[in-house]
């Protein structure tokens, strides 16, 4: 309210300077105190375009010092974004015109100017005062620093129309642009819809920070292969959308090809970057929303068609990381597979049983959760601390989530139970006895035997007889007693 009142006084104060001269020092001090606390700069200049007086401390802050006697044109054009000649012509014309015409001319002056690193809103007002029975014109400027306001507005705009993670446009911006583009009748438009592969797996296994890296990497791929005129957005979750104005279907297909190639060349991220892609092209700007639906349906068909390859690629990548990071002896997976298959046959299990089909998967992926365990803990030769041991124990639950994400719920249940013990002292669920899945009880015997008889970072290699003795010692506590007896019989018959 005080600010509004003060501006009203200044706008109507034709004899401001004269009035100040007639005031007592206390009155002048009170007025100056008000001016210094309204966070606005007030200055006046005459037809010579020299600053007559600055009325508030804000002027000093805005310009970085006293400006009395300085050229107003030079002050306002120091950033080079205001035309000095045009500014001078308008101001001089305003001084020469009537008050009404002069004020109309002043509306042509820039309302926002840059002064140093500040953004300033400028208001202009012609005022008149009588000197020796003659009216003298002055031009008053009211300067308001809106730098922070502009920053806030820019941030709000960014949050409204950009995805904070990828720095791409968001769905709200795309919907706004689709509406605008659909008003154009002669624009050929292509649309690409992408759905990322492996994001849920990455989030479940490696955490959302790694999932974010995957999303950022996809955003960078799209920015790399698309033109500056293309509109790229994170459509939501793991979906991206690209609008390609003035792009025919063949050119759009080339963009899709470049996206796939760039994904194949992506750098060090947890899961290989890939996406299902669908595209559609329309001959006019009308119906972009319908093009998005067509492209999305094609994307889903592409996802279905490549689902097996995607799954195999993800498993292959996990297997590679497992061998690279987890210090497993060469041939561990192959040996486990052969031992488990041979033991199952020794038990007389039907080779057509569904459980036996999991043996090959288990041989490859029984320790998949270890890919999320720090390498320095997996390879530690000294005793693990309690915290480190808790991290190691988490790999079964991680492996469970990975298998679930890969669409293998039965495998997930077995992976989760591989470290349970017959006596109920295992982890993570402390299941006991026949609560533990049969294949987990069988597979744990084979896995322990192979680990014991080959080199490990934290322990030496045992002989066959030493390993069998250790397994026998775990009968009824760690291992299913019946299966342990049969396994020992099975191993007695092997070399």
């Amino acid at each position: 309210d005080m600010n509004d009142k003060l501006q009203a006084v200044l706008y109507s104060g034709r004899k401001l300077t004269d009035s100040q001269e007639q005031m007592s020092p206390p009155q002048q001090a009170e007025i100056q105190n008000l001016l210094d606390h309204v966070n606005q700069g007030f200055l006046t200049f005459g037809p010579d375009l020299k600053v007559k007086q600055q009325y508030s401390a804000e002027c000093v802050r805005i310009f970085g010092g006293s400006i009395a006697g300085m050229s107003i044109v030079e002050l306002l054009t120091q950033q080079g974004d205001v035309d000095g000649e045009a500014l001078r012509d308008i101001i001089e014309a305003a001084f020469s015109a009537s008050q009404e015409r002069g004020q109309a001319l002043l509306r042509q002056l820039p309302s926002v100017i840059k002064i140093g690193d500040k953004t300033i809103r400028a208001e202009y007002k012609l005022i008149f005062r009588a000197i020796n029975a003659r009216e003298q014109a002055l031009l008053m400027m009211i300067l308001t620093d809106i730098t922070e306001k502009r920053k806030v507005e820019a941030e709000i705009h960014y949050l409204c129309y950009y995805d904070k993670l990828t720095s791409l446009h968001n769905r709200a911006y795309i919907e706004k642009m689709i509406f605008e583009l659909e008003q154009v009748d002669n624009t050929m438009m292509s649309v690409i819809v992408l759905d990322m592969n492996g994001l849920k797996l990455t989030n479940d296994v490696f955490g959302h920070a790694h999932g974010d890296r995957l999303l950022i990497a996809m955003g960078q791929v799209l920015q790399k292969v698309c033109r500056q005129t293309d509109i790229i957005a994170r459509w939501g979750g793991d979906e991206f959308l690209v609008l390609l104005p003035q792009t025919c279907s063949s050119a759009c297909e080339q963009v899709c090809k470049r996206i796939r190639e760039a994904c194949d060349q992506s750098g060090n991220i947890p899961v290989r970057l890939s996406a299902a892609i669908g595209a559609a092209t329309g001959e006019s700007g009308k119906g972009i929303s319908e093009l998005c639906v067509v492209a999305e349906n094609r994307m889903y068909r592409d996802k279905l068609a490549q689902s097996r390859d995607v799954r195999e690629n993800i498993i292959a990548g996990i297997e590679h990381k497992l061998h690279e990071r987890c210090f497993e002896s060469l041939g561990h997976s192959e040996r486990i597979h052969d031992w488990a298959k041979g033991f199952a046959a020794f038990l007389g299990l039907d080779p057509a049983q569904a459980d036996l089909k999991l043996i090959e998967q288990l041989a490859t992926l029984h320790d998949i959760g270890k890919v999320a365990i720090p390498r320095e803990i997996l390879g530690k030769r000294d005793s693990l601390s309690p915290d480190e041991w808790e991290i190691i124990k988490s790999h079964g639950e991680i492996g469970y989530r990975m298998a679930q994400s890969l669409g293998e719920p039965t495998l997930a249940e077995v992976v989760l139970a591989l470290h349970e013990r017959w006596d109920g002292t295992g982890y993570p669920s402390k299941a006991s006895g026949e609560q533990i899945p049969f294949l987990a009880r069988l597979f744990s015997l084979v896995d322990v035997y192979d680990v014991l008889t080959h080199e490990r970072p934290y322990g030496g290699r045992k002989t066959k007889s030493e390993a069998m003795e250790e397994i026998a010692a775990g009968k009824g506590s760690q291992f299913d007693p019946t299966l342990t007896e049969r396994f020992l019989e099975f191993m007695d018959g092997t070399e």
Side-chain angles (χ1 to χ4, degrees), residues 169-381:
H169 292 296
N170 60 15
R171 191 182 190 107
Y173 181 83
I174 284 288
E175 289 174 345
K176 172 176 171 287
M177 288 305 300
I178 286 175
F179 175 79
E180 293 178 5
L181 289 169
E182 284 184 334
Q183 312 310 308
V184 182
D185 294 330
N186 59 351
T187 302
M188 178 179 289
M189 179 67 66
S190 288
V191 174
I192 298 174
V193 176
L194 302 94
D195 186 271
M196 290 181 61
N197 298 317
L199 181 63
K200 184 178 187 304
L201 174 66
T202 302
N203 285 334
D204 289 347
V205 176
F206 300 99
H208 284 79
H210 286 284
D212 289 349
R213 287 176 56 196
L214 210 62
L215 289 164
I216 292 168
M218 180 58 76
Q220 291 170 341
V221 162
L222 296 177
Q223 289 175 313
K224 178 181 177 181
V225 305
C226 293
R227 305 165 300 184
Q228 289 188 345
T229 53
D230 298 331
I231 302 169
I232 310 167
R234 184 179 173 197
W235 191 236
D238 53 3
E239 288 191 0
F240 293 80
L241 184 141
V242 185
L243 299 180
L244 302 98
Q246 299 292 349
T247 304
C248 64
S249 58
S250 60
C252 180
E253 184 54 43
Q254 286 300 311
V255 175
C256 295
K257 181 182 178 182
R258 292 200 301 270
I259 291 171
R260 293 187 179 95
E261 291 171 348
C263 285
D264 289 339
Q265 297 166 6
S266 58
N268 182 27
I269 47 180
V271 174
R272 177 187 165 195
L273 196 63
S274 68
I277 302 175
T281 300
E283 296 300 323
S284 83
K286 295 291 186 182
I288 298 176
S289 299
E290 288 79 3
L291 287 180
C292 292
V293 173
V294 173
E296 191 170 34
N297 289 335
R298 290 174 180 172
M299 178 272 292
Y300 284 126
R301 285 201 295 272
D302 184 49
K303 198 169 190 70
L304 185 63
Q306 63 170 294
S307 59
R308 181 181 294 275
D309 290 340
V310 169
R311 181 179 172 279
E312 289 176 356
N313 287 333
I314 290 175
I315 291 174
I318 292 171
E319 186 177 2
H320 174 73
K321 286 184 179 292
L322 194 62
H323 287 292
E324 183 184 66
R325 299 182 68 247
C326 297
F327 305 95
E328 289 186 343
S329 61
L330 189 64
H332 174 70
S333 295
E334 292 78 5
R335 291 192 305 271
I336 289 289
H337 174 261
D338 293 342
W339 287 124
K341 195 171 181 180
F343 184 35
F346 177 79
L347 294 174
L349 298 181
D350 184 354
Q353 281 187 282
D355 279 353
L356 292 182
K357 295 178 182 178
L358 290 174
I359 287 177
E360 186 171 348
Q361 288 180 309
L362 276 170
T364 302
L365 301 174
H366 62 284
D367 278 336
I368 53 174
K370 287 183 179 178
V371 297
I373 305 298
R375 184 182 176 89
E376 59 272 17
I377 295 179
L378 288 173
K380 189 174 182 179
R381 294 182 178 274

Side-chain angles (χ1 to χ4, degrees), residues 474-492:
K475 182 178 70 171
S477 55
Q478 182 175 357
F479 306 114
D480 179 332
T482 303
L483 278 179
T484 303
E485 289 290 346
R486 299 303 306 277
F487 180 71
L488 296 174
E489 291 174 22
F490 167 67
M491 293 305 300
D492 279 338

Side-chain angles (χ1 to χ4, degrees), residues 125-149:
K125 181 71 177 179
L126 276 172
I127 60 176
F128 296 86
R129 65 177 180 174
I131 298 180
N132 299 325
R134 294 183 60 187
E135 256 192 346
Q136 183 184 65
L138 289 176
L139 199 155
M140 174 178 286
M141 287 187 66
I142 302 173
L143 307 173
T144 308
D145 188 343
I146 58 172
T147 307
E148 291 304 317
K149 180 183 177 183

